[in-house]
Amino acid sequence: MRRPAIAAAIALAAAAAVAAAGYAWLPVAAVTDIYPQEGIVQPGQAAHLVVQVRRPWFDPRSVTVKITAGLSDQPVAELRTRGGTVAWTPSAAGGYGVTATLGASRVSTAVDAGANWTEKPRYGFLSDFGPANQGQAARFDAMARFHLNGLQFYDWMYRHSDYLPPADEYVDPLKRLLSRPVLLEKIDQAHRHGMAAMAYTAVYAAPKDFYEAHKDWALYDASGNALKFGDDFLFIMNPEAGSPWAQHMLSEYRKIVTQLPFDGIHLDQYGDPHFGFRFPGGESANVDVATALADLIDATAGTIGPRPVFFNDVGGWPMADTAPTRKETVYVEVWPPNVYFDHLRQLIQKGRRLSDGKPVILAAYISPEFEPSVLLTDAVIFASGGYHLEIGEGNGMLADPYFPKYKPMSAALQQHLRRYYDIIVRYQDLLYGKNVADWTPDVEIPGSRVLTGGYGPGIWPVGRQNGQYFTLSLINTTGLKDAKWNSPRLTPPTGLNRQQVSVAMAAPPRALYRIDPDGTEQSPVPVPFTYGQGQVTFTLDHLDYWSVMVFEK
C-alpha cells in the first residue's frame, strides 16, 4: 500500500474512532454551499460549480456532486471533489438540479443551459461605476448564485444625449463621478459569469443645453410649452420615426454597441406624455407617442441587430403598441393602479398574450427589509411564469426606481431567495416557455379560504400546464392585513400544517409530486393521493409562502 493510501486509511479510521467516541465538541466535516459561477452556459460549454467544505484535518472523504434532470430527477452525472471548483458540461439545453453531499450534510443549487438567455431572462442590475468600484468580482459571484443571466447597466452614460464617456473619469447628469475602466471591467466580469451586459438608455430625454440648441427637435404641449421630466432636468424630445431626435438616438445606439462591448440596448421611457406636439405646437402637429415608441424599438433592433432590445412599458403602457415589435421581452415597471398581487399576474398574462408568448419581466420595487413582501411577490411572479428585476450589485436589492438607491439583503433573505431562483431554473419547463399555458385550478382546502384571485388573505391557487404536467402553485396570504404586493410588512403569513387539499381533475394522475421552494430540499417528493368523484385529494405537509404541486397525467 502506498504512503498516501496508508495516510488516508489512518485518517479515515481516526474519523470513525472520533465519531464512535462521541466527541461532539470536535468539528464535523460538512459541505456548506454549492453554487454556479455562470448565470447560464451554452450546451457543450462547461459549467463551473464552487463547492465549499468545512473539514477537520482527519476527514479525507470527498464530496459527491450529483446532477439530475427533469421532474423524475434522472441522474445525468456524478462528480467527486474535496472542495473548490468542479466543471461539468451539459449536452442539452434546460435546467438541471445539483446536489452536493458529505456525510449527513447536503446542499443544492441548479445549472441552466441554453443558447439564448433572452428566452429565460433572469434580469439583474448594476449601477455603481465610480472609481472606487474596481475589483468587484465577488459581486458577480454573488449574483451568479441567483442564476442572473442578464444585467441592466443603469445610468452608466455621460449624458442622455451623448452616451459615450469622453474620458476615463467623467461626471454623470446627477453629479456622480464615474469611471470608464470600471465600466469596462464590469462588462468583462458579466461576460465571465455568463451574464449579458445591457446598456440602459432613455429614449426621449435630453439635457437642457441640448434642448436649447435643438428646440425644434422637442415635444410641446398644446400651449407651446416644452415638455419636461423634472424641473429643467431633462426635456422630452420627439421620438417619431425619421425625426432628427430619432436619427440622433439611433446613431448613439450604434456607437454604444460598436465602441463598447455591450450586448444590447435597454430602452427606458417615463410613462408620460402619451401625446405631444411638434415644434412650435398646434393641433395639426399631434404626435402619438405610443406609435413613435413602437417605431423606435423596431428601428433600434434594425440598427444594432442581432443584439437584443428591451423596452420599459411603464405601468403597462404602451404595451399594446410595443408588445408585437422586435423587442425580445415584455418589460414592465409596475406602478399604481397595479397594487395587488393579482395585478402582477394580470400584467404577466397580458404581456404574454399581446406579444405571442415573449418572456415577461416585472420591475417591481420592494425594500428588502420587508422580507415577507419580497418573498410573496416573487412567489406570485414566478408561479405566473414571469421574471422579476430586483437583484444586483452583489447582494443588493432595488428599493427605488433610481437604482443607485438599492439596499442590501439580509443573509436570511439571500438564502431564501436563492432557493426560489434555484427552483425556477431547475423546473423551468414547468413554469416557462411558449408551450406552457395558464390553468385555472379548482381547489378545496377545508378550514381555509381559497381565493379566486390575489386580492385578500387566504390560499391562492395559481396553475400552469405543460403537456402532461399540471403545475399548481399554492400561495399563502393567510393572516395578512391586505394583498398589496409592496406593503411594508414584517410579519409572514400564517403557516399551514398537515392540511388536506382537493383538486378537481378529470382523471387520476399517474403521479403527484411536491416541490418546496421554502424548504432546504429541492428535489421532487412523491406525494400519496386518493382519487374519487373527480377530485385528487392529498395532505399538504406544510405551507409557508409558496408550495408547488405537480400532477403528471
Side-chain angles (χ1 to χ4, degrees):
M1 183 179 293
R2 296 181 178 179
R3 289 184 180 180
I6 295 172
I10 293 173
L12 191 59
V18 167
Y23 293 119
W25 54 270
L26 286 173
V28 177
V31 55
T32 58
D33 203 357
I34 184 170
Y35 57 89
Q37 288 194 305
E38 300 91 6
I40 190 171
V41 296
Q42 299 272 339
Q45 174 186 344
H48 299 89
L49 295 158
V50 177
V51 183
Q52 295 182 349
V53 182
R54 182 188 68 229
R55 181 191 303 280
W57 66 268
F58 50 77
D59 194 326
R61 293 175 296 172
S62 296
V63 177
T64 300
V65 179
K66 289 186 178 180
I67 299 168
T68 59
L71 188 64
S72 60
D73 230 20
Q74 289 295 319
V76 173
E78 183 172 307
L79 312 173
R80 298 274 182 172
T81 179
R82 286 181 53 81
T85 301
V86 295
W88 168 72
T89 302
S91 59
Y96 296 87
V98 182
T99 304
T101 57
L102 176 58
S105 63
R106 177 182 173 96
V107 294
S108 299
T109 187
V111 165
D112 188 20
N116 188 352
W117 73 275
T118 61
E119 293 179 353
K120 37 189 171 181
R122 293 176 299 276
Y123 205 29
F125 73 92
L126 293 173
S127 60
D128 295 343
F129 307 110
N133 297 110
Q134 258 183 328
Q136 293 182 334
R139 292 193 180 189
F140 292 84
D141 286 340
M143 292 185 289
R145 288 168 165 86
F146 297 96
H147 313 285
L148 301 186
N149 56 17
L151 299 174
Q152 181 185 151
F153 280 61
Y154 179 91
D155 272 12
W156 61 275
M157 64 279 191
Y158 172 60
R159 293 291 182 270
H160 291 80
S161 56
D162 187 9
Y163 278 80
L164 296 184
D168 278 353
E169 291 191 358
Y170 54 104
V171 177
D172 81 353
L174 290 175
K175 310 304 180 186
R176 295 191 307 159
L177 178 63
L178 306 184
S179 166
R180 179 187 174 101
V182 169
L183 172 66
L184 292 172
E185 181 183 62
K186 287 199 167 187
I187 295 174
D188 179 64
Q189 283 292 340
H191 292 160
R192 289 173 181 267
H193 287 81
M195 303 172 191
M198 297 289 287
Y200 171 92
T201 67
V203 295
Y204 49 37
K208 185 177 182 179
D209 59 348
F210 189 93
Y211 161 75
E212 293 287 353
H214 302 88
K215 289 185 177 182
D216 55 335
W217 293 18
L219 277 182
Y220 294 83
D221 64 20
S223 299
N225 299 308
L227 296 172
K228 304 176 186 178
F229 181 75
D231 296 331
D232 286 353
F233 173 52
L234 294 170
F235 287 73
I236 305 300
M237 310 303 281
N238 178 10
E240 279 186 301
S243 69
W245 173 258
Q247 294 303 311
H248 174 74
M249 291 308 293
L250 293 174
S251 175
E252 287 296 305
Y253 298 155
R254 189 179 298 108
K255 291 177 187 176
I256 288 170
V257 297
T258 57
Q259 298 185 35
L260 292 172
F262 279 116
D263 300 296
I265 298 289
H266 181 106
L267 304 173
D268 191 23
Q269 53 118 356
Y270 305 135
D272 195 62
H274 292 193
F275 296 93
F277 297 89
R278 303 183 196 95
F279 181 85
E283 191 70 30
S284 63
N286 193 356
V287 175
D288 182 345
V289 177
T291 299
L293 293 176
D295 290 341
L296 184 61
I297 293 168
D298 283 339
T300 302
T303 297
I304 71 165
R307 301 172 184 87
V309 174
F310 286 13
F311 175 81
N312 184 3
D313 290 301
V314 177
W317 180 86
M319 190 191 296
D321 296 271
T322 65
T325 65
R326 294 173 62 186
K327 65 180 185 179
E328 299 286 333
T329 66
V330 176
Y331 175 103
V332 181
E333 194 173 38
V334 184
W335 294 108
N338 298 300
V339 297
Y340 290 99
F341 287 122
D342 203 87
H343 291 148
L344 302 175
R345 179 163 171 78
Q346 290 176 31
L347 286 170
I348 294 167
Q349 291 176 323
K350 182 179 179 181
R352 282 202 309 267
R353 184 179 69 254
L354 293 176
S355 68
D356 191 28
K358 290 178 183 177
V360 180
I361 305 168
L362 300 185
Y365 310 123
I366 311 171
S367 177
E369 64 190 294
F370 306 123
E371 295 187 10
S373 293
V374 172
L375 293 168
L376 283 168
T377 294
D378 275 344
V380 171
I381 292 173
F382 297 160
S384 302
Y387 300 91
H388 189 190
L389 173 73
E390 58 179 338
I391 296 170
E393 288 295 356
N395 292 314
M397 176 167 283
L398 292 177
D400 188 90
Y402 182 56
F403 289 13
K405 291 185 178 180
Y406 70 86
K407 296 181 179 180
M409 290 184 282
S410 69
L413 182 58
Q414 292 173 41
Q415 289 299 319
H416 208 142
L417 276 188
R418 279 182 60 184
R419 294 196 290 271
Y420 280 24
Y421 279 79
D422 288 345
I423 292 295
I424 69 170
V425 169
R426 183 169 181 172
Y427 301 106
Q428 57 189 260
D429 291 341
L430 299 176
L431 297 172
Y432 297 98
K434 287 190 175 184
N435 294 327
V436 185
D438 290 320
W439 162 52
T440 303
D442 182 3
V443 177
E444 295 180 8
I445 305 177
S448 294
R449 180 187 180 195
V450 178
L451 306 172
T452 56
Y455 292 108
I459 307 300
W460 183 22
V462 175
R464 302 282 278 152
Q465 179 186 358
N466 183 9
Q468 69 186 80
Y469 297 109
F470 287 81
T471 301
L472 169 66
S473 286
L474 297 173
I475 297 171
N476 184 19
T477 59
T478 304
L480 300 186
K481 293 180 180 179
D482 63 66
K484 294 181 178 179
W485 58 266
N486 64 349
S487 284
R489 55 178 67 89
L490 299 172
T491 303
T494 303
L496 277 66
N497 292 289
R498 302 296 299 170
Q499 182 67 56
Q500 179 179 300
V501 180
S502 295
V503 182
M505 301 286 285
R510 292 177 54 193
L512 174 61
Y513 300 91
R514 185 194 180 190
I515 301 165
D516 184 10
D518 295 314
T520 56
E521 177 54 64
Q522 297 172 4
S523 296
V525 177
V527 176
F529 65 91
T530 60
Y531 182 79
Q533 298 182 331
Q535 288 191 321
V536 177
T537 300
F538 60 92
T539 298
L540 184 63
D541 182 60
H542 70 276
L543 175 60
D544 298 327
Y545 290 92
W546 178 25
S547 188
V548 181
M549 309 301 301
V550 185
F551 301 81
E552 182 179 3
K553 290 196 299 183

